[in-house]
Amino acid sequence: MEAKGYDVVRAALTNGLAEDPDILAQAVEGERILITYDRDFSELVFSRRVATPPAIIYLRYRSRDVDDAIARLMPVLDFDRLVHHMTVIDERRVRRTPFPTGSNDNG
């Protein structure tokens, strides 16, 4: 992603011990789109209604090939379509769910 010009912060490298709420808070504070393989972020956003980053992309499959994962991400990286949504990419489709009303402190 960095090679394609995206500004990337990898939570595992900057703070490998961070808990999910801390990672989410960092994405909110940094106004970053969160890309994750961890479904726990949906529980934080939809059940606990915590503050949300601009968008979350949940990769609901484990690609063994980083290039494949990036190839699946690139077509959905349209900020206007992502903002205020959780986008789920699984092996067959892409779907977007708006964040709950009141969960977004970013506007």
Side-chain angles (χ1 to χ4, degrees), residues 3-49:
K4 300 213 181 264
Y6 289 92
D7 179 22
V8 176
V9 175
R10 293 172 50 190
L13 296 179
T14 59
N15 188 353
L17 300 177
E19 298 289 328
D20 291 346
D22 298 325
I23 293 169
L24 189 59
Q26 289 172 359
V28 169
E29 183 178 316
E31 297 181 10
R32 293 183 171 277
I33 295 172
L34 176 65
I35 301 172
T36 183
Y37 284 107
D38 186 345
R39 71 178 176 194
D40 293 341
F41 291 101
S42 64
E43 192 266 326
L44 290 169
V45 169
F46 292 100
S47 296
R48 296 189 194 176
R49 296 189 180 239

Side-chain angles (χ1 to χ4, degrees), residues 64-100:
R64 294 175 188 222
D65 180 10
V66 173
D67 290 331
D68 175 59
I70 291 171
R72 300 213 38 186
L73 278 170
M74 296 311 290
V76 303
L77 292 180
D78 175 353
F79 183 78
D80 292 335
R81 293 186 72 198
L82 292 171
V83 70
H84 305 301
H85 286 78
M86 173 169 268
T87 299
V88 178
I89 301 173
D90 65 27
E91 293 175 351
R92 296 187 181 147
R93 64 184 178 149
V94 175
R95 61 186 165 85
R96 291 177 179 84
T97 303
F99 292 148

